Amino acid sequence: MPSTEKAAPDEICRGVGRDAMLPSDDPGLELPQFLIHYNTGYQREEFPLYGGNRELYSKAALLRGLFNLDGKPMNLIRNNPVAMYLQIADRLRAEITEGTYEPSGRLPSESQIMARFNVSRVTVRLALEQVDKDGLIERRKGKGTFVAGKQVRHQIDTLRSFHESLKVQGFDATMRIIELSALETPSAFIPLFGTQCTLLERLHVVNDEPIAVGRSLLPAFMSDLQREFAEQQPTYALLKDRAGANIVSAEIAIGARAVSSRITSPIGAAANAVLLVLERTSYFDNGACAERSEFFIRPERYKFVLGNRIPER
């Protein structure tokens, strides 16, 4: 049971002004605000409210309400005529514009926003609805809230298949088979596959929007792939499953070139449009070629990223 004896504010924290405001879900509830200084445990403390009432606050939650993720004062005005959900919406809009949520584009969860601003879930949802009306965010069921229209990023210094790079960013990424067939190997690639190989051509779709066409030459033993399986699994997973070997290295080249309507039409680009092109040759751990792929990508929605690190001396 909380003590009925009224604690002096200075016994709890050091005051920064009796006319300031504590975080509260109710913009009409006026609370004296104090800045807490402490080094250890976030015990719950009693804070006096106007009207002689008392309420328990967690120090940790209080600080999350007073400060943003960078440790700067939030300046959320509790008795402002502008509702708090509109203030929070304005803050999120500004952060989206500033690129705060890149590279993943994922916003904090509702619970995280609640803790950050010390407001109710209803307030957070009203704020997100405002930002959603502006077309700045996308809500993906079971995955969270993301910046709308965010460019897809492909980390080319990470050995990861094209489809997998979409999935790890939280996109609703799917694939549709355009062609799956056995064929005679083009002469330039006979040293990699021999005289016979498999062509796997798929349309890559992100949030129901076609974004790229991938054309892969694979070893001949991949020609009897089940189409349903090939639409669900990334290339590297397909190869590992059938070959029983890991892909351990890849050579990648990036460029841009005009391509025919056979490629541009499925992704909604004009005939002979200039697309980004990623060329990739991957190898099994025994040195054999696993795949030779080309990805034709709409440039306005895609960005290649290369991380770099200063070598240790």
Side-chain angles (χ1 to χ4, degrees), residues 2 12 19 43 79 84 88 103 133 139-141 143 146 165 204 220 232 238 240 305:
I12 300 171
D19 57 347
Q43 294 85 13
N79 58 352
M84 281 193 296
I88 294 171
K133 287 178 182 177
R139 298 183 184 187
R140 303 174 192 163
K141 189 174 181 180
K143 295 181 180 180
F146 295 81
S165 74
H204 292 267
Q232 298 172 1
L238 293 172
K240 183 177 180 179
V305 181

Side-chain angles (χ1 to χ4, degrees), residues 169-308:
Q169 293 178 76
F171 289 107
D172 181 16
T174 57
M175 295 177 288
R176 302 171 189 168
I177 298 290
I178 297 175
E179 185 173 348
L180 174 59
S181 61
L183 76 162
E184 293 185 3
T185 306
S187 58
F189 303 113
I190 289 177
L192 298 179
F193 300 105
T195 57
Q196 296 292 316
C197 66
T198 301
L199 172 64
L200 174 60
E201 188 170 273
R202 294 179 291 193
L203 177 66
H204 292 267
V205 180
V206 172
N207 301 333
D208 295 323
E209 179 184 8
I211 192 172
V213 170
R215 304 182 73 241
S216 298
L217 294 181
L218 308 174
F221 61 77
M222 300 291 288
S223 62
D224 60 350
L225 273 174
Q226 296 294 318
R227 295 179 68 91
E228 296 80 3
F229 192 50
E231 282 191 336
Q232 298 172 1
Q233 296 295 321
T235 304
Y236 284 1
L238 293 172
L239 287 162
K240 183 177 180 179
D241 179 72
R242 297 299 299 274
N246 292 316
I247 293 175
V248 297
S249 64
E251 298 169 355
I252 293 176
I254 300 169
R257 67 174 185 260
V259 295
S260 68
S261 59
R262 185 181 183 280
I263 298 297
T264 60
S265 179
I267 60 175
N272 298 314
V274 175
L275 302 180
L276 285 176
V277 181
L278 182 149
E279 298 177 355
R280 185 183 68 199
T281 307
S282 306
Y283 299 90
F284 291 118
D285 50 12
N286 63 5
C289 182
E291 54 100 37
R292 165 71 181 187
S293 296
E294 287 183 314
F295 297 91
F296 302 91
I297 309 160
R298 286 174 50 185
E300 71 275 14
R301 287 296 309 277
Y302 211 85
K303 179 185 294 185
F304 293 106
V305 181
L306 177 63
N308 210 337

Side-chain angles (χ1 to χ4, degrees), residues 19-207:
D19 57 347
M21 305 298 297
L22 270 178
S24 167
D25 284 356
D26 183 357
L29 178 63
E30 295 183 348
L31 308 175
Q33 176 173 303
F34 300 93
L35 179 62
I36 297 177
H37 298 273
Y38 61 96
N39 296 315
T40 58
Y42 298 165
Q43 294 85 13
R44 295 175 69 82
E45 302 277 5
E46 288 190 2
F47 289 80
L49 311 187
Y50 285 118
N53 298 321
R54 298 170 70 82
E55 187 166 324
L56 287 173
Y57 285 86
S58 162
K59 284 183 177 181
L62 179 61
L63 284 189
R64 285 196 296 269
L66 290 173
F67 295 88
N68 66 16
L69 300 179
D70 297 323
K72 300 176 182 177
M74 292 303 301
N75 299 322
L76 195 64
I77 302 174
R78 303 282 163 170
N79 58 352
N80 194 304
V82 179
M84 281 193 296
Y85 76 90
L86 294 178
Q87 295 181 56
I88 294 171
D90 285 342
R91 187 67 54 84
L92 294 175
R93 289 189 195 97
E95 291 173 348
I96 289 170
T97 302
E98 294 165 0
T100 300
Y101 304 113
E102 297 296 334
S104 71
R106 184 170 186 169
L107 273 67
S109 67
E110 289 184 359
S111 296
Q112 290 171 322
I113 298 174
M114 287 168 59
R116 177 185 174 189
F117 292 99
N118 201 17
V119 295
S120 68
R121 190 175 297 275
V122 171
T123 301
V124 170
R125 288 181 174 173
L126 287 172
L128 290 174
E129 285 178 8
Q130 291 297 311
V131 182
D132 194 11
K133 287 178 182 177
D134 295 336
L136 295 178
I137 59 174
E138 298 172 351
R139 298 183 184 187
R140 303 174 192 163
K141 189 174 181 180
K143 295 181 180 180
T145 303
F146 295 81
V147 177
K150 191 187 76 69
Q151 279 190 315
V152 180
R153 297 164 66 95
H154 189 107
Q155 197 81 24
I156 59 175
D157 55 344
T158 300
L159 191 59
R160 181 177 288 147
S161 67
F162 187 87
H163 180 69
E164 187 182 3
S165 74
L166 302 176
K167 298 290 284 187
V168 298
Q169 293 178 76
F171 289 107
D172 181 16
T174 57
M175 295 177 288
R176 302 171 189 168
I177 298 290
I178 297 175
E179 185 173 348
L180 174 59
S181 61
L183 76 162
E184 293 185 3
T185 306
S187 58
F189 303 113
I190 289 177
L192 298 179
F193 300 105
T195 57
Q196 296 292 316
C197 66
T198 301
L199 172 64
L200 174 60
E201 188 170 273
R202 294 179 291 193
L203 177 66
H204 292 267
V205 180
V206 172
N207 301 333

